[in-house]
Amino acid sequence: KGKIMDGWETRRRRGTGAAEPHPTDEDHDWALVRLGAPGVVRGLIVDTAHFRGNYPQSVSVEATSLPGSPSPEDLLAPDVKWTTLVPRTAVGGHAANGFAVDAEQRFTHLRINQHPDGGIARLRVHGEVAPDPAWLTALGTFDLVALENGGQVEDASDRFYSPATNTIAPGRSRKMDDGWETRRRRDKGNDWIRYRLVEQSEIRAVEIDTAYLKGNAAGWAEISVRDGEDGEPTPLLPRTRLQPDTNHRFVLPEPVRGTHVRIDIFPDGGISRLRLFGSLTEEGAARLAARHEALGG
């Protein structure tokens, strides 16, 4: 209707309640958002980029946690408890309005409200994935470092072209910059990424994918693992030649236990994905279940 907007713009409200201090659902616009993965929210960005004369006066954000795959009707039921993450707050136009969140709970859905109407270009939700341990235990073998399962990138040597977190994103890379590419090194060093697994696990197989990296794939890669924050690193995969635009698969001769993994690439270049397949140890499963319960899961 009219201009093509690369965001969410609502029509102008003309009701008498639009200017009320605390409007009802009928007096302001809102949207229900399912998080990409259940987790703990640490911060939010309500971006009104390019909305200069049509941004909302204020916004608020609420969150809830429901099991399964609830419908919009389930989420809007009167008995659903919503927790306020961002109280009603004035925002600016054409701006990335950031909010810190202090709620040590596991959430699955958000409700973003704009008062009374207007436009929001993007909603960014930053935090930590908090997987359901019952699901991971039922799966048995799964990707221990995947972002959607609670894996994390702790540090990386280079983030010039793209974030290292791309390497544990869902699915295969769809284009070159959907992976991790580093600058060209002119020294004798090499690039690396350090990961934290979902919990203590036994790793049984590895995938290193260089999809869409053809003239800039890493030449070689090696992987080490350590058990605990202060554990000594031990080899997981020796230095191995990589091919461009190829998914490399390695079955380990025996399971390797650990909580942290580091991949070194030589000398530079990139990989698109890293997958580490295995299962939780009894100790890791117990810790994950305890955290899940503490977060209200």
Side-chain angles (χ1 to χ4, degrees), residues 40-228:
V40 181
V41 179
R42 302 297 185 192
L44 293 158
I45 297 175
V46 180
D47 194 343
T48 56
H50 303 291
F51 289 100
R52 300 174 186 268
N54 49 355
Y55 58 92
Q57 289 180 327
S58 57
V59 300
S60 60
V61 182
E62 303 160 279
T64 191
S65 181
L66 289 183
S69 305
S71 67
E73 291 75 21
D74 295 330
L75 293 164
L76 295 172
D79 60 338
V80 172
K81 178 185 176 182
W82 290 87
T83 299
T84 298
L85 301 186
V86 178
R88 185 173 176 180
T89 306
V91 293
H94 191 53
N97 301 275
F99 304 93
V101 175
D102 184 16
E104 200 68 23
Q105 299 178 56
R106 180 182 186 268
F107 296 115
T108 60
H109 294 76
L110 299 186
R111 173 169 161 151
I112 181 166
N113 307 291
Q114 48 175 326
H115 308 276
D117 53 34
I120 295 172
R122 295 290 185 271
L123 172 67
R124 304 298 188 200
V125 185
H126 299 277
E128 302 162 10
V129 173
D132 182 351
W135 174 253
L136 297 182
T137 303
L139 289 177
T141 297
F142 62 94
D143 185 356
L144 305 164
V145 76
L147 189 64
E148 60 188 326
N149 292 334
Q152 299 178 42
V153 167
E154 289 193 327
D155 200 2
S157 63
D158 187 286
R159 297 178 176 87
F160 185 79
Y161 288 116
S162 51
T165 306
N166 282 359
T167 60
I168 55 175
R172 291 197 74 195
S173 180
R174 294 167 293 178
K175 52 184 179 176
M176 188 175 71
D177 60 1
D178 195 26
W180 175 61
E181 181 188 1
T182 72
R183 288 177 278 202
R184 301 190 185 208
R185 280 190 169 265
R186 306 304 186 190
D187 56 23
K188 295 182 179 180
N190 71 281
D191 289 313
W192 50 268
I193 306 174
R194 188 176 73 243
Y195 305 89
R196 177 192 292 272
L197 306 184
V198 55
E199 247 301 343
Q200 186 189 65
S201 308
E202 288 191 337
I203 307 166
R204 298 187 182 87
V206 176
E207 280 189 7
I208 303 174
D209 197 352
T210 58
Y212 290 95
L213 297 166
K214 298 181 179 180
N216 49 359
W220 298 264
E222 68 181 30
I223 302 177
S224 57
V225 61
R226 76 174 196 269
D227 191 16

Side-chain angles (χ1 to χ4, degrees), residues 257-268:
R257 177 174 297 196
T259 58
H260 297 73
V261 162
R262 169 170 161 153
I263 184 169
D264 284 79
I265 63 171
F266 301 91
D268 54 27

